[in-house]
Amino acid sequence: RVFFDGAGSHYYLCNFEQSVSLYEECLRILKSYDIDPDEEAAPSPKDGSKTPAPKEVAKSNSFRRGIVLYCLVMAKAAIDFDAEASNLLNEAQMLLSSCGDQVILAYMEFLTGLFLHHAASQVPIRLRSITRISSTGISLNDGLSWNEMCQSALTLLEQVKNECWFDPLQEVEDSDEVRHLPLSGHICFTKGQVYELIDSVDQALNSYVDAANFYRIACGDENMYVASVLHRMGMICSLRTEYHALGYFNEALTIRKNILGGNDHLVAETLYSSAIVLARLNRYEASMERYHEALRIQMSDSQDSNEVARTLAGMGICHYNHRAYDLALTCLEGAVKIRKFRVARLTNSAELVELYGEECALGADFFNLGNIHMQMEDYAQAMQCFIQSRDLRWCHVGSGTVTKILDKYFSETTVDEDELLGLAHCLHNIGVMFDIKKEYVRSLPHYEEALAIKNAIAGFSAKDSLSVVDQVNQEQNEALVLQSLHKDHEFPRINKATLSASVTRQKIAMVYVKQRKYDHALFHFSHALRIQRQVLGKDHFRVGSILSSMGNALRRTSTPSETAIVCYNESLRISRLRFGQNHTTVASALFDIGNLHDSNQNFNKAMHYYQRALSVYRQKYTKELRQRLCSGLDRPRALANGVEGGTEILSTGDEIIVAGDASSPEKQIRDQYVLVTEALRRAKRQDRAIQGETRTCCVGDSSDAWMAFEVLLFRFVEMLSTYVVDPAQTVVREAIDNSRRRIESAAGHAVISAKDALDYQFLLLMQD
């Protein structure tokens, strides 16, 4: 009895290992009192008292052992749901099966529901549709399906709630209701976890709120149970509103640190989850602080664990999103190294589910590592990473061609959808690699395979397939373009592959433009535009980019120019709305419209749009030259950026700048300024020629003379800045940096000398 009470106290203090030890000792003592129920009863003592019958003694001992086994399973389950705990639960159910106490039986049902939830939670998401769970474990043939397992757990928990429940809104009438207070919290918490598994987010949040209230009533405002509930609420809210999620994570982190200290794995778990939310909120430094703290705790336990690899991968993605590519490369390489070690260790083992999960994580890490190499212009390493990721994912979705894999996907045989989409991402980015090499014959098949997979996952109909491209004539193509511009399209569903399919279509269209197959390009541009207008909205800047590309393609076809003007005007409207009147994107759209009128020999309108575009470029060019001349020594150096032709789009929607085509923003603005100036002067000359005007002067009218003078003036200022101002500022900046380093070194020595003096004075005082 003393052991039993002590074990219960340790359990509620979350000292689960000590609780298990005391329950096992209690169980050992009870087993020593087991007797055979069929043996003869002992003679009655002389004092006349009645000796209990062996059957009654055996039944009493079985009941006590069943209760201890139940408590032992609860303590073991708090540590880990292993096979031993499951066997002990079965033994406890057998011993208590004949018990007439409905409360005890309800507690046993709760524990069974707890084990059902745990078994369901151990199945990876990608395997839930094909996995069945039986008493012997996970299988593909026998037992309950994953959904049936979750529903069974909810049914059991609801039955327990009907039997044992504490209602905080009613007055407490007896002690039994108060006794059910902790169990009421456990019921709500477990139900929330099951609802979370089946994606019933609102029901899960409601259950978690109830659980937190019960735990606060039972154990105070700060306890481990409340912290666990808050952590789960943060996980759910991170999919919706990051600010609410961060609040829950911060509260859970405070409680866990106060109770467990700063070096517990549960603290690391909350640190990792909150770091992801901070990264989404663009709080880069705060996110990295929590990542580093979580990694320190995890590596103190094991340096090759799944948690360490996961945290390193998260840090790499965070660095990547903030363009710290060197740091991202270091983190992802560390994650890949750990994943390779874990896969090699599990290759010849029986842990097939764990091996599959590690291979999936390794494939994702290879893919992210390839994206980093692409941004760093190391295309050979990027291609190698993409191929390794592709090969892993190809094995996971089945061997053979993409057509055969999709046949399996549409048939009864279930294919891992996440890995299938990952394969499409790899094929897309391999196509980007061949695009960079200008090997369009090799890039196009990879794009088409990626698009076929994405269309299948997104649920697009057969009329959107690639086989329709060659059958579309010019009139149908023009109608398709107009429909994508003016008609709203409703898709049956929008999932993770919908927007990605539009990105791949955009890349295929760009390849066809380079091959001068403009009708094919317009077919894919139209479908990409239709998707992005529906998913991103009609005013998104990416929609404007596609419209501009469609206008450029339409200009090179026999399609009437009015359709191209419609595309350009819509792109211009979006650019003004998103970036303002004086942005280079607006100037580019104005120049495109002017160029279209120029090609149609409508020089008056062309000059109008050229002048509007020139005013924007003149303002930007003047501002850049003024900054170069007058901004002083602290002017930041400009980052390299890509021109329109040098940008490639990855499958995730990220853009990369192709090496060789990159140029500084100043050079881009200068080139565009010169281009628009020449176009305007040429349009003026042609307009005068049509009107029959002649000029004896080589420079034309006064406006031409002023433009020529303006160009020469800008060139002079740029040369002055390049060959005089910039070198002088570089020399002065280096001198200031050297002086600053000498001052900092002297200050460091001065601090050390002062410290030594204080130490010497302290020693003198000690002697006195």
Side-chain angles (χ1 to χ4, degrees):
R1 182 68 185 185
V2 173
F3 281 134
F4 184 82
D5 292 340
S9 299
H10 282 292
Y11 176 83
Y12 281 104
L13 291 173
C14 297
N15 298 329
F16 301 118
E17 290 82 0
Q18 187 66 27
S19 178
V20 168
S21 176
L22 294 177
Y23 279 133
E24 288 176 344
E25 186 66 17
C26 183
L27 191 62
R28 181 191 63 80
I29 296 174
L30 287 176
K31 284 183 178 180
S32 67
Y33 283 88
D34 281 347
I35 63 172
D36 187 1
D38 296 329
E39 71 179 19
E40 295 182 0
S44 301
K46 296 181 179 180
D47 58 5
S49 59
K50 185 178 180 181
T51 303
K55 288 185 178 181
E56 295 179 2
V57 175
K59 183 177 180 181
S60 177
N61 287 344
S62 297
F63 176 78
R64 292 181 179 180
R65 282 181 56 195
I67 295 297
V68 174
L69 281 171
Y70 165 82
C71 297
L72 178 60
V73 172
M74 285 289 291
K76 280 183 170 292
I79 302 172
D80 187 21
F81 289 85
D82 53 11
E84 182 183 1
S86 179
N87 294 332
L88 291 174
L89 175 60
N90 293 333
E91 185 179 352
Q93 288 175 330
M94 290 177 57
L95 293 173
L96 297 175
S97 59
S98 60
C99 173
D101 192 332
Q102 296 300 317
V103 173
I104 293 177
L105 294 178
Y107 274 63
M108 293 300 300
E109 287 182 346
F110 165 74
L111 200 52
T112 305
L114 199 64
F115 269 77
L116 288 174
H117 156 258
H118 172 75
S121 66
Q122 295 305 298
V123 180
I125 297 176
R126 53 181 53 89
L127 298 179
R128 288 174 180 174
S129 59
I130 61 175
T131 301
R132 306 189 77 84
I133 306 174
S134 64
S135 57
T136 58
I138 297 176
S139 69
L140 298 177
N141 300 316
D142 302 326
L144 296 174
S145 67
W146 187 83
N147 286 325
E148 291 172 343
M149 182 69 69
C150 293
Q151 291 301 325
S152 298
L154 288 174
T155 302
L156 284 173
L157 293 172
E158 193 64 30
Q159 291 175 359
V160 177
K161 178 181 176 181
N162 294 334
E163 190 65 38
C164 305
W165 185 251
F166 174 79
D167 190 350
L169 300 179
Q170 296 181 0
E171 295 183 1
V172 179
E173 297 179 356
D174 52 36
S175 59
D176 287 340
E177 189 174 350
V178 177
R179 185 180 62 179
H180 301 324
L181 175 58
L183 181 63
S184 300
H186 295 331
I187 292 172
C188 293
F189 182 55
T190 309
K191 286 180 67 176
Q193 290 176 305
V194 179
Y195 282 131
E196 188 177 351
L197 286 178
I198 60 178
D199 293 329
S200 297
V201 177
D202 293 330
Q203 292 174 297
L205 279 175
N206 292 333
S207 297
Y208 284 145
V209 170
D210 291 338
N213 292 333
F214 282 125
Y215 287 142
R216 287 190 173 103
I217 295 173
C219 307
D221 289 335
E222 288 194 2
N223 59 82
M224 288 303 301
Y225 302 107
V226 171
S228 298
V229 173
L230 292 170
H231 180 87
R232 296 312 313 169
M233 293 175 71
M235 294 295 292
I236 293 179
C237 290
S238 63
L239 305 175
R240 291 184 170 184
T241 55
E242 284 83 0
Y243 287 104
H244 289 167
L246 186 60
Y248 290 129
F249 282 135
N250 287 339
E251 193 174 352
L253 183 62
T254 300
I255 295 174
R256 285 180 168 178
K257 280 187 174 181
N258 290 340
I259 297 176
L260 301 174
N263 298 314
D264 192 84
H265 70 96
L266 291 176
V267 175
E269 180 185 5
T270 305
L271 285 168
Y272 168 79
S273 301
S274 59
I276 295 176
V277 175
L278 287 168
R280 292 176 185 168
L281 294 172
N282 292 322
R283 294 171 60 178
Y284 176 60
E285 293 81 5
S287 174
M288 294 312 303
E289 285 181 6
R290 297 203 175 184
Y291 270 130
H292 281 291
E293 191 175 354
L295 187 63
R296 176 189 62 80
I297 297 171
Q298 292 162 351
M299 293 190 70
S300 64
D301 183 37
S302 174
Q303 296 188 357
D304 56 7
S305 64
N306 173 61
E307 289 75 18
V308 172
R310 183 187 62 179
T311 302
L312 285 172
M315 294 171 67
I317 294 172
C318 184
H319 286 310
Y320 173 84
N321 292 333
H322 288 80
R323 302 183 185 277
Y325 298 127
D326 290 330
L327 295 174
L329 183 65
T330 302
C331 294
L332 261 300
E333 285 178 343
V336 167
K337 183 177 180 181
I338 295 174
R339 293 294 182 192
K340 283 183 176 180
F341 170 77
R342 293 177 63 83
V343 168
R345 187 177 60 186
L346 293 169
T347 299
N348 297 322
S349 67
E351 301 292 336
L352 298 181
V353 174
E354 186 177 357
L355 174 62
Y356 183 80
E358 290 291 342
E359 287 182 346
C360 291
L362 179 60
D365 290 343
F366 270 131
F367 179 78
N368 292 325
L369 190 60
N371 287 342
I372 295 171
H373 283 301
M374 288 190 76
Q375 297 285 5
M376 299 178 72
E377 301 177 3
D378 189 352
Y379 301 128
Q381 285 293 328
M383 178 68 87
Q384 184 178 355
C385 290
F386 288 139
I387 290 175
Q388 288 176 298
S389 179
R390 179 202 63 185
D391 293 344
L392 278 171
R393 286 164 165 169
W394 215 309
C395 292
H396 292 164
V397 299
S399 303
T401 63
V402 170
T403 304
K404 291 183 178 179
I405 293 173
L406 291 180
D407 288 340
K408 294 180 181 178
Y409 177 74
F410 288 122
S411 67
E412 295 297 328
T413 304
T414 305
V415 177
D416 186 346
E417 192 172 270
D418 290 335
E419 287 297 283
L420 187 61
L421 183 58
L423 174 61
H425 290 327
C426 292
L427 292 170
H428 176 105
N429 286 6
I430 291 174
V432 172
M433 296 298 306
F434 288 121
D435 252 3
I436 293 173
K437 299 177 182 179
K438 302 185 186 305
E439 299 179 13
Y440 306 124
V441 177
R442 300 181 69 182
S443 68
L444 197 56
H446 286 86
Y447 286 141
E448 290 174 345
E449 288 181 336
L451 182 59
I453 295 173
K454 293 177 181 180
N455 280 345
I457 297 175
F460 291 137
S461 60
K463 65 180 182 181
D464 298 324
S465 64
L466 297 172
S467 60
V468 184
V469 179
D470 297 325
Q471 304 173 11
V472 176
N473 56 37
Q474 181 178 342
E475 291 77 12
Q476 292 174 329
N477 217 351
E478 181 182 354
L480 186 63
V481 172
L482 293 175
Q483 285 179 5
S484 64
L485 283 169
H486 301 296
K487 184 178 179 181
D488 292 333
H489 299 270
E490 293 292 339
F491 299 108
R493 59 174 179 169
I494 297 177
N495 59 17
K496 54 195 172 185
T498 305
L499 188 60
S500 184
S502 73
V503 173
T504 301
R505 280 198 181 274
Q506 195 173 349
K507 288 302 302 176
I508 294 175
M510 292 176 182
V511 172
Y512 280 131
V513 168
K514 294 168 185 175
Q515 294 179 341
R516 299 184 179 181
K517 297 180 179 180
Y518 301 113
D519 290 332
H520 289 62
L522 286 171
F523 177 84
H524 289 285
F525 273 138
S526 300
H527 281 82
L529 177 63
R530 185 181 65 176
I531 295 171
Q532 294 195 13
R533 278 168 63 95
Q534 175 66 25
V535 178
L536 299 176
K538 299 178 182 180
D539 300 329
H540 198 274
F541 72 94
R542 289 192 182 276
V543 174
S545 176
I546 293 182
L547 287 166
S548 178
S549 299
M550 288 177 67
N552 293 336
L554 284 165
R555 284 173 48 196
R556 294 169 173 83
T557 64
S558 56
T559 304
S561 59
E562 288 77 8
T563 308
I565 290 178
V566 171
C567 293
Y568 283 141
N569 284 333
E570 182 67 8
S571 175
L572 178 62
R573 182 192 68 81
I574 296 172
S575 299
R576 284 173 172 168
L577 181 65
R578 303 296 295 184
F579 304 114
Q581 295 284 347
N582 298 320
H583 196 269
T584 53
T585 306
V586 175
S588 177
L590 291 168
F591 176 75
D592 288 335
I593 298 175
N595 205 354
L596 179 60
H597 288 301
D598 197 344
S599 62
N600 292 333
Q601 296 186 350
N602 191 347
F603 301 113
N604 191 24
K605 285 188 176 181
M607 288 188 294
H608 170 71
Y609 285 102
Y610 284 152
Q611 287 171 347
R612 292 170 64 185
L614 183 62
S615 65
V616 177
Y617 285 124
R618 181 188 293 118
Q619 180 183 1
K620 297 293 183 182
Y621 195 19
T622 305
K623 181 180 179 181
E624 178 59 37
L625 291 176
R626 185 170 65 249
Q627 287 179 344
R628 292 183 65 178
L629 286 174
C630 308
S631 60
L633 301 176
D634 294 330
R635 177 172 61 90
R637 295 178 175 86
L639 297 174
N641 198 357
V643 296
E644 182 179 354
T647 300
E648 297 290 348
I649 306 176
L650 303 181
S651 187
T652 54
D654 297 336
E655 293 186 358
I656 63 169
I657 307 304
V658 180
D661 291 336
S663 59
S664 64
E666 306 96 79
K667 185 176 183 299
Q668 292 180 42
I669 295 174
R670 183 195 68 191
D671 292 343
Q672 288 296 111
Y673 171 79
V674 173
L675 180 65
V676 177
T677 302
E678 291 298 325
L680 178 58
R681 295 174 66 179
R682 184 173 57 251
K684 283 186 175 182
R685 288 196 300 267
Q686 292 175 344
D687 184 54
R688 286 195 297 265
I690 291 177
Q691 295 177 5
E693 298 181 12
T694 58
R695 298 286 180 180
T696 56
C697 182
C698 61
V699 296
D701 58 10
S702 59
S703 61
D704 287 342
W706 172 252
M707 279 194 296
F709 173 74
E710 185 181 82
V711 172
L712 290 175
L713 179 63
F714 284 162
R715 287 289 178 88
F716 172 75
V717 174
E718 186 171 359
M719 293 177 63
L720 179 67
S721 174
T722 302
Y723 297 106
V724 178
V725 177
D726 286 349
Q729 287 185 350
T730 301
V731 172
V732 175
R733 185 180 292 109
E734 290 178 353
I736 292 175
D737 290 341
N738 291 332
S739 299
R740 183 183 293 118
R741 284 192 292 268
R742 288 195 298 269
I743 292 172
E744 289 176 351
S745 176
H749 287 295
V751 171
I752 293 173
S753 300
K755 180 178 182 299
D756 291 340
L758 289 174
D759 290 343
Y760 180 70
Q761 291 178 359
F762 178 73
L763 290 176
L764 291 178
L765 291 173
M766 284 293 293
Q767 290 177 0
D768 293 340

